[in-house]
Amino acid sequence: MAGGGFCRLPNGTVVVALTLTRPSGGTGTGTGTGPGAPVRVLVHAANRARALTRLRNLGLRAVYLRGNDRPPTPDEITAVLHHPDGLLWRAAPQAGQELWHPIRALLGPAGYAGPARPAA
C-alpha cells in the first residue's frame, strides 16, 4: 500500500506525505494499529530528497516517492508546519478523529526503526 505525494510551498520548502507500513518496533499509542498496519507519515523539508533522507536516517530504509498520486491535504500541511519536528504520523486510513503523533511514537523509545543494536 504505497502511496504518497508532495506539495511545494510558496517559500520553496516541500511537504511530503507517504503511506507506509508501521515498523515492528513502534510503541502502542492506543490507536489500534499494530506492526504492519498502514500509517500516513508527513515530512517537512527543504526539498523532496531531504524529506526522504530524514526518514531513512530514522531507519525507514525502503522509503521512496514515486509519482504524486496522494499529495498532502491542506489540513495535513497545516499540521506538519505547526509541529516543531516537522515529522508526524497517524493511522491510515484515518479512523474517527485520530490526532497526529510525533514520529518518535511510531519508532519506539530508541527513536530508530532499524534493527536492534546489541548492547556493548
Side-chain angles (χ1 to χ4, degrees):
M1 174 187 257
F6 69 96
C7 180
R8 184 166 302 280
L9 302 176
N11 65 358
T13 62
V14 297
V15 174
V16 174
L18 297 166
T19 302
L20 307 171
T21 57
R22 184 181 176 121
S24 60
T27 60
T29 59
T31 60
T33 59
V39 293
R40 181 84 162 165
V41 178
L42 301 176
V43 184
H44 180 231
N47 55 47
R48 285 179 287 177
R50 184 63 188 139
L52 297 177
T53 300
R54 288 184 74 186
L55 291 173
R56 290 182 187 128
N57 287 343
L58 293 171
L60 300 169
R61 298 290 180 206
V63 176
Y64 297 98
L65 181 61
R66 294 187 176 106
N68 198 16
D69 61 340
R70 294 191 56 206
T73 64
D75 290 339
E76 291 175 334
I77 293 170
T78 301
V80 76
L81 289 178
H82 285 89
H83 193 271
D85 293 338
L87 281 162
L88 299 172
W89 73 276
R90 72 175 167 195
Q94 182 186 2
Q97 294 292 323
E98 182 183 359
L99 299 176
W100 289 98
H101 307 283
I103 197 72
R104 60 188 165 273
L106 178 66
L107 301 177
Y112 179 72
R117 297 180 186 172

